[in-house]
Amino acid sequence: MKIVQKEFGVSTHSRTEMVDVTSRIEAAVRDAGIHNGDVIVFCPHTTAAITINENADPAVVHDMLMVFDQVIPRSHPGYRHDEGNSDAHCKSSLVGCSEQILIHDGRLTLGTWQGVYFCEFDGPRSRTVIVQVRGE
Ligand code: ZN
């Protein structure tokens, strides 16, 4: 089994944002020359996340960010973390910092409406995404 690890940068432009990185993952898989296996997409940040969801209707991303804000408020009298970004830490753990996607015959086995998103919860910032492609 071959293992190829790469990383790429993502610049975010607002405090919360979901950036479609599907084409960057596809490029990393192509560059790795691995046709069957899997790819792990990992976010090495405590206030950001990786998820897979619909990339056809942009309203879905809007609605997800809105719901995250409703479930986890920006400020709360009980927060103790003095950086003022406790909501972003909570969202990061709720959504999760990685996804695993199968690669079959050189393609990501995503569903028709699925895309891979980098989720920013404390931007704007310059972020890094780590991609490890494994297989043959
Ligand atoms: Zn913090």
Side-chain angles (χ1 to χ4, degrees):
M1 185 176 76
K2 191 171 153 190
I3 298 177
V4 179
Q5 186 161 316
K6 295 169 175 287
E7 60 180 59
F8 60 84
V10 175
S11 294
T12 60
H13 304 285
S14 49
R15 184 157 195 275
T16 62
E17 185 179 349
M18 289 172 65
V19 181
D20 187 341
V21 293
T22 311
S23 62
R24 315 274 304 261
I25 309 304
E26 287 169 341
V29 169
R30 205 163 42 239
D31 292 350
I34 289 170
H35 300 281
N36 289 288
D38 62 16
V39 55
I40 293 175
V41 184
F42 179 77
C43 161
H45 304 289
T46 61
T47 54
I50 302 291
T51 196
I52 295 173
N53 214 299
E54 175 165 339
N55 68 352
D57 179 3
V60 172
V61 162
H62 167 274
D63 293 353
M64 289 178 70
L65 290 173
M66 185 188 73
V67 168
F68 293 154
D69 282 340
Q70 285 174 348
V71 172
I72 303 173
R74 172 82 188 261
S75 61
H76 187 287
Y79 287 156
R80 293 185 180 178
H81 179 52
D82 62 12
E83 275 190 318
N85 60 356
S86 287
D87 63 319
H89 288 290
C90 294
K91 289 173 183 170
S92 173
S93 279
L94 187 74
V95 175
C97 62
S98 70
E99 288 286 357
Q100 181 182 27
I101 305 152
L102 302 177
I103 303 161
H104 183 67
D105 291 341
R107 297 177 62 99
L108 298 180
T109 57
L110 291 168
T112 308
W113 309 110
Q114 285 182 318
V116 185
Y117 283 97
F118 176 85
C119 306
E120 175 63 81
F121 296 127
D122 194 28
R125 292 192 196 215
S126 291
R127 301 292 205 170
T128 300
V129 174
I130 299 170
V131 177
Q132 188 176 88
V133 191
R134 312 180 302 180
E136 347 228 294

